[in-house]
Amino acid sequence: MRYPLSFAQQQLWDRSRVAPGDPAAHLARAWWLEGVLDPVALQRAVDVVVTRHPVLRSTFDGAEQVVDDAGRVVVDHVVAGAPEAEAVVAELAARPFDPARGPLLRSCLVEVAPDRWLFALVAHRLVLDEAALGVLLDELSAAYRRDAASLPELWMDYGDFAVWQRERLRGAELARQVDHWREPLRGASFGLALPTGGAAGTVTAVLDPVSDVAVLTGYAVVLSRYARQSDVVVGVVVDGRVRAELEPVVGPFADVVPVRLSVGGTFAELLDRVREATEDALAHDELPLAKLAEELGFDADLTARFDPRPSVAATVDLPGAVVSGRLPLPPSVEADVDLGVGRDGTLALRYRADAAFADRLLCSLVTVLEHAARAPGTPVAELPLGEGPLPVGAPPVELDVVAALRESTATVTDRAGAVPVPEVCDRAARLARVLVERGVGPGTRVGVCVGRGVGLLTALLGVWWAGGATVALEPDLPLRRLEVVARTAGLGLVVADDEHAGLAGSIAGDVAVVVPDEAAEPREPVPVPADAVAYTAFTSTPDGPAGVDVTRGALANLLAVLRRDLGLSAGDRFAAVTTTSFDLVLPELLLPAVCGADLVVVAADEAREAGRLRSLLARDAVTALHATPETWRLLVSGGGVPEGVRLRLGTGLSRELADSLTAPGVAVWRLYGHPETAVWAAAGTDGLVPVDGNRVRVLDERSVPVPVGAVGEVHVSGVGVARGGFATGDLGRWREDGSLELLGRTDRRVVVRGARVDCGEVEAVLLAHRAVRGAAVVGVPRDGGTALVAYVVPDPDARAGTDLPALLRPHLSAVLPEPGVPALVVVLPELPPTRAGLPEPDWGAARADLVPPRGPVEEEMARIWAELLRTTEPIGVHDNLFALGAGSLTAIRFASRVADTYGVNLPVHLLVATPTIAAFAGIVSAELGQAPAEDPADDPADELGEMSDEELDDLLRAVLAARDRRRSTRGDG
């Protein structure tokens, strides 16, 4: 016979395909029996039960359950000693089932002595649940007593039920039942951020008798507080036998109903809401969760379950023998955390997680319930969960940076050649004399507008020698942003190289610009205290770039700790690929030098392309590299990291990416921090642990330490934080091994290609454009990282027919660093009330009227793009390539292919500002001395006419700066 799968079986089948052989899907019980047993009679009794219930003879092919009419479950009779008996049963319980072959019920009887036995039953949940196990054992006892005639008549078997269920829950009846749940579950968070995953187990606690509703209320509080989520969905277990005639039927009927709870207010208030929500859910328990999830589009595997049914241990009753005990076996766990309530007040938490975490979670529940019983008017946010860990951290480490540099035998290499570190120090000392004569000293902020290379390190050290603090002025940043940074920092002087002296003059205004002069006499470093500012880093905020001061003591401590722990030394070669606008440029350049390792400063164009970067790393025998996650992914996808790179460091590396970088003989360091924490506050190979000199705490909204495993906001204090404790805005939790796990943000700051971007700042820039009336910016997962998507509402006075995204790109690029320019701009008539209501970005929808390639350059570029995007669809020359699905890595690969094909380097800012084949082909054609393809319908004057004078000025300066950079790359005069 063939039957359809019930909805519960369909969910179990789907799970078995994702995790075949998972023992958590097994229902296993074993009992020690004392007395006389007849193995033949026991086999006969099992035959009777299996014959009565066809589901026990079923196999599964996905769409159907197939009943084997001649199917049989053999009770293996084994003679063995007690230790061997337990091993036999443990193997039986753990042995994987094959749903396609069966049987899905196993049994064995181990004869330890003539009067001592171990009897075991193991089933897959596709055919049995706990309630059905009780039915099976009752019938087994009756059949063993040869009393099968007393068993109730079955009006249907489980296959008949599956047919009935499928027929009933469709059409109008299905729509009626689903409609009840639409509003209660709209926008619900069905998952919980708990540290789950791992071996299954059970932990118990005894509590004074309390109502099931009170236990569920306390459970919701603990889940909410541990996951830092006020919106909690708990699956409440129901029997699932919706008709009386199903009571004696064996099969997997048990199901759960989702109970959505808004955790807040006092415990007493929450208790009333829980009671109301639970009663409503239980009154609508016929619709299986799997079918409801399918109709409403959510994952039916809920994180948390609650079983309010009194847990009675089903047991076997065989005449002539008595049960003397149960053999503990791994529990069958259907949720990450599954709380059951016993008749005597025992709480049993089954889990798939670390045992210590599960025990702590249950202890927190007992603490909450005991406190709530005494003071039900306590706000749930103030109910104690138990003691949190003390702040973690070790004392700071001292380092004389100047002495370490002077004693270094390392060299610094750039495109111009190699220079020993002592010579770099000599050049810095000469520059320091000039700076001191110009009035630089402790407290003076000095802008550094120098290209990547030896000159950059010289300028940074020269300011350090003079006692001043550096402010990086990255030449590739938009001019307006550089002007804001210079003005905000209150610069006393600007140091520039010959190439960027003109740009520095535009930025500095009335502030003098100094170009290093090697003719000056060197001088000794100006003595300054440890709390003097070493550099000021600028970070994105809703109000624009804001400066963060990092002290010399904090920087020296960081360098000392890393020099001690990384194993970086003479003989190593460290490649620096970070742009100068990043807050970690100074420690990245200084770290190799103080460790005695050679430093290779990689040019920006080489760092952006996998092939060129891999070649450089191999050619220069690089052994150590620090990079952003995007650069590491670029290397991995572009042929892999060269084997010689034995020390691999990354800020913001996920555990998965770190694992992909691991290889024999390779050390992968994950780094974490902010400008406010002197770059890195935590680091490690196995997990993030605080850098010496820093103390890290994880606190709740009331600034109270949370238990290990609970989510809170990461706070850092110590030598790396200038002004007391720093609330990082990062969500995290302590792991059982003492390391820190990061989980997200409390605010709207995201990391795009290694740079921190505040979505509020991007929104402010958008709203400053006269064509925009409303704006919302969010970060979304894309291309292995994060991409910005801007949703804009056009101003009613904007000219009809304006291509608003095209109009906004140059406006954004003129103000924001490249990572802050949204990859996609979506135009909406109105913004929804909350950001959760924003539509999903459609990366393939935003296309201009397709204009095919009009010449060999455009044709080749279209071919490259199609290959990178893995598409056979036509690509128009005016299509926004980010909107078609390109991410940052794809754009960089495209630029690399263009450079290989035509020898032309596409400016990075144009990759973002004008991401079209027409724009790129125009640049290439101009470089090759060819006339670009003409498009009368696409007149640039239309877009230029929409720009303000200030925007036109910014665009012109950007174009001129791009021209100068291209000339510099080619070596033109």
Side-chain angles (χ1 to χ4, degrees):
M1 290 288 292
R2 289 179 173 269
Y3 298 97
L5 273 63
S6 70
F7 293 116
Q9 286 177 320
Q10 184 66 61
Q11 183 180 7
L12 290 163
W13 168 258
D14 291 341
R15 288 180 190 166
S16 72
R17 295 177 67 191
V18 173
D22 183 5
H26 299 184
L27 186 60
R29 297 289 187 272
W31 302 267
W32 285 106
L33 299 167
E34 306 287 341
V36 179
L37 274 180
D38 182 352
V40 175
L42 182 60
Q43 177 66 69
R44 183 177 61 246
V46 169
D47 290 341
V48 169
V49 174
V50 171
T51 300
R52 271 177 59 83
H53 300 285
V55 70
L56 300 177
R57 293 178 273 120
S58 294
T59 56
F60 296 80
D61 63 8
E64 294 180 310
Q65 51 186 313
V66 183
V67 177
D68 181 359
D69 292 336
R72 188 164 186 257
V73 174
V74 176
V75 180
D76 293 327
H77 181 197
V78 180
V79 178
E84 294 83 358
E86 293 186 0
V88 167
V89 171
E91 188 279 331
L92 187 76
R95 188 191 313 159
F97 282 104
D98 183 353
R101 296 184 60 184
L104 300 183
L105 175 67
R106 305 187 191 118
S107 180
C108 73
L109 178 66
V110 185
E111 183 177 351
V112 178
D115 59 352
R116 181 166 169 77
W117 313 77
L118 183 60
F119 176 53
L121 286 171
V122 182
H124 196 289
R125 283 191 169 273
L126 278 164
V127 301
L128 206 64
D129 61 21
E130 279 86 351
L133 176 62
V135 174
L136 185 152
L137 290 173
D138 288 343
E139 294 191 358
L140 185 68
S141 297
Y144 185 82
R145 296 192 306 267
R146 295 180 176 271
D147 191 20
S150 66
L151 298 177
E153 181 179 358
L154 299 179
W155 290 94
M156 64 171 63
D157 58 36
Y158 191 83
D160 298 324
F161 162 75
V163 172
W164 172 83
Q165 185 188 53
R166 293 273 179 179
E167 288 292 323
R168 174 170 168 75
L169 294 178
R170 64 179 185 174
E173 178 60 24
L174 174 63
R176 182 188 68 80
Q177 294 202 33
V178 170
D179 283 347
H180 168 79
W181 291 99
R182 292 190 187 276
E183 280 307 313
L185 297 180
R186 189 181 301 278
S189 300
F190 293 94
L192 291 167
L194 299 177
T196 54
T202 303
V203 60
T204 61
V206 178
L207 187 72
D208 290 338
V210 64
S211 70
D212 294 343
V213 174
V215 175
L216 178 54
T217 303
Y219 190 38
V221 170
V222 172
L223 293 173
S224 170
R225 296 276 299 282
Y226 266 73
R228 201 179 171 107
Q229 296 174 219
S230 59
D231 185 14
V232 173
V233 177
V234 178
V236 175
V237 179
V238 294
D239 180 78
R241 289 171 165 79
V242 294
R243 298 169 61 107
E245 54 263 47
L246 296 176
E247 293 297 331
V249 177
V250 166
F253 290 96
D255 203 354
V256 300
V257 292
V259 177
R260 184 182 186 182
L261 303 169
S262 177
V263 180
T266 67
F267 186 89
E269 293 167 345
L270 179 59
L271 181 69
D272 291 338
R273 295 199 301 274
V274 170
R275 180 182 293 108
E276 181 180 351
T278 304
E279 290 175 352
D280 180 74
L282 294 177
H284 298 82
D285 65 346
E286 181 182 349
L287 184 61
L289 179 66
K291 186 61 177 175
L292 177 61
E294 177 187 328
E295 294 296 318
L296 296 185
F298 65 86
D299 188 350
D301 289 328
L302 303 181
T303 303
R305 300 202 330 167
F306 174 68
D307 191 348
R309 304 171 303 173
S311 56
V312 178
T315 190
V316 64
D317 179 13
L318 302 177
V322 296
V323 175
S324 61
R326 281 182 55 178
L327 177 66
L329 292 171
S332 174
V333 181
E334 295 190 83
D336 290 329
V337 286
D338 190 347
L339 181 67
V341 183
R343 293 184 184 277
D344 58 354
T346 299
L347 302 178
L349 182 67
R350 295 185 291 184
Y351 59 85
R352 290 193 296 249
D354 188 277
F357 166 75
D359 185 67
R360 192 178 304 108
L361 188 77
L362 188 59
C363 289
S364 291
L365 173 57
V366 172
T367 300
V368 164
L369 290 173
E370 290 176 344
H371 188 97
R374 297 190 301 269
T378 304
V380 295
E382 298 178 10
L383 289 168
L385 298 177
E387 293 296 325
L390 296 174
V392 178
V397 182
E398 294 185 355
L399 174 67
D400 186 334
V401 176
V402 171
L405 291 172
R406 282 176 160 170
E407 296 167 1
S408 178
T409 59
T411 61
V412 183
T413 302
D414 61 12
R415 280 177 168 171
V419 179
V421 169
E423 183 176 334
V424 175
C425 292
D426 181 73
R427 295 179 185 180
R430 296 175 189 277
L431 173 60
R433 177 172 294 280
V434 176
L435 298 181
V436 171
E437 291 174 352
R438 292 292 192 102
V440 173
T444 305
R445 289 183 173 82
V446 179
V448 176
C449 187
V450 177
R452 296 176 57 76
V454 174
L456 175 61
L457 181 58
T458 301
L460 295 173
L461 289 178
V463 177
W464 181 293
W465 242 254
T470 62
V471 177
L473 300 174
E474 167 67 53
D476 283 339
L477 287 179
L479 184 58
R480 283 172 59 185
R481 191 170 194 85
L482 291 173
E483 291 170 343
V484 172
V485 168
R487 184 170 58 251
T488 304
L491 300 179
L493 201 68
V494 174
V495 175
D497 53 16
D498 290 329
E499 180 185 350
H500 300 100
L503 174 63
S506 300
I507 299 168
D510 295 333
V511 177
V513 176
V514 170
V515 176
D517 180 8
E518 295 188 12
E521 290 295 318
R523 64 154 293 145
E524 286 298 301
V526 174
V528 294
D531 61 358
V533 177
Y535 64 92
T536 300
F538 277 79
T539 187
S540 176
T541 75
D543 299 321
V548 176
D549 292 336
V550 176
T551 67
R552 296 196 177 207
L555 181 56
N557 173 76
L558 177 66
L559 294 172
V561 172
L562 295 180
R563 185 171 77 159
R564 181 195 66 195
D565 295 343
L566 288 182
L568 189 67
S569 61
D572 281 308
R573 291 176 65 80
F574 187 103
V577 299
T578 303
T579 64
T580 56
S581 61
F582 278 47
D583 57 284
L584 49 78
V585 62
L586 186 55
E588 184 181 70
L589 295 179
L590 290 179
L591 176 62
V594 300
C595 293
D598 292 339
L599 171 65
V600 179
V601 183
V602 181
D605 58 326
E606 291 179 303
R608 293 188 183 110
E609 197 277 307
R612 298 178 68 188
L613 181 56
R614 290 185 74 251
S615 297
L616 181 144
L617 296 176
R619 182 190 70 227
D620 287 2
V622 169
T623 61
L625 172 67
H626 170 268
T628 65
E630 283 71 22
T631 299
W632 283 120
R633 278 192 287 265
L634 184 70
L635 284 169
V636 170
S637 65
V641 183
E643 293 182 358
V645 183
R646 66 164 189 84
L647 184 59
R648 305 173 183 182
L649 301 90
T651 301
L653 290 185
S654 66
R655 187 173 291 273
E656 294 73 22
L657 180 55
D659 289 342
S660 72
L661 296 174
T662 301
V666 167
V668 179
W669 279 74
R670 299 169 62 210
L671 307 169
Y672 162 72
H674 291 263
E676 295 86 347
T677 63
V679 187
W680 297 311
T685 53
D686 297 325
L688 294 172
V689 296
V691 170
D692 291 0
N694 294 280
R695 294 192 306 162
V696 177
R697 297 177 296 167
V698 181
L699 309 179
D700 65 14
E701 295 90 338
R702 300 174 299 120
S703 297
V704 174
V706 299
V708 172
V711 179
E713 184 178 6
V714 179
H715 289 241
V716 179
S717 59
V719 67
V721 182
R723 295 174 299 277
F726 169 59
T728 66
D730 291 314
L731 292 175
R733 62 177 163 228
W734 291 115
R735 297 167 58 90
E736 298 299 330
D737 61 5
S739 64
L740 180 67
E741 180 182 6
L742 300 173
L743 299 166
R745 294 285 301 174
T746 62
D747 56 18
R748 302 180 55 226
R749 183 182 290 188
V750 297
V751 176
V752 181
R753 295 186 288 286
R756 296 176 184 85
V757 179
D758 194 297
C759 293
E761 180 182 9
V762 184
E763 289 174 355
V765 174
L766 285 167
L767 291 171
H769 197 286
R770 65 189 183 285
V772 176
R773 179 168 59 86
V777 176
V778 295
V780 299
R782 180 133 187 96
D783 213 12
T786 299
L788 292 182
V789 177
Y791 298 86
V792 297
V793 177
D795 189 278
D797 296 332
R799 191 177 71 180
T802 298
D803 183 352
L804 191 55
L807 183 64
L808 292 174
R809 283 186 203 103
H811 167 75
L812 292 162
S813 299
V815 179
L816 297 170
E818 186 266 334
V821 177
L824 182 64
V825 177
V826 179
V827 180
L828 298 177
E830 293 290 341
L831 293 177
T834 65
R835 290 181 178 83
L838 291 169
E840 290 292 321
D842 185 350
W843 297 96
R847 301 186 64 180
D849 293 337
L850 191 140
V851 177
R854 300 157 297 183
V857 175
E858 290 185 348
E859 288 173 355
E860 177 63 14
M861 288 190 171
R863 187 193 66 77
I864 294 173
W865 269 116
E867 182 178 322
L868 292 174
L869 294 174
R870 298 179 181 178
T871 181
T872 58
E873 296 294 321
I875 298 177
V877 299
H878 297 305
D879 288 345
N880 181 325
L881 298 171
F882 287 116
L884 293 183
S888 60
L889 293 182
T890 313
I892 292 171
R893 293 183 188 120
F894 171 75
S896 170
R897 294 281 293 275
V898 170
D900 291 342
T901 304
Y902 297 106
V904 176
N905 293 314
L906 296 174
V908 174
H909 76 277
L910 289 182
L911 287 174
V912 176
T914 55
T916 66
I917 288 175
F920 300 151
I923 295 172
V924 170
S925 297
E927 294 287 344
L928 298 178
Q930 301 175 3
E934 295 185 0
D935 186 359
D938 183 34
D939 187 355
D942 290 342
E943 185 174 304
L944 295 176
E946 290 292 320
M947 295 185 180
S948 66
D949 290 343
E950 184 181 43
E951 290 164 348
L952 286 170
D953 187 44
D954 287 331
L955 182 60
L956 176 60
R957 286 188 288 187
V959 171
L960 293 176
R963 180 204 62 189
D964 293 341
R965 282 191 291 272
R966 290 198 299 276
R967 288 179 175 176
S968 174
T969 301
R970 296 197 308 267
D972 297 346

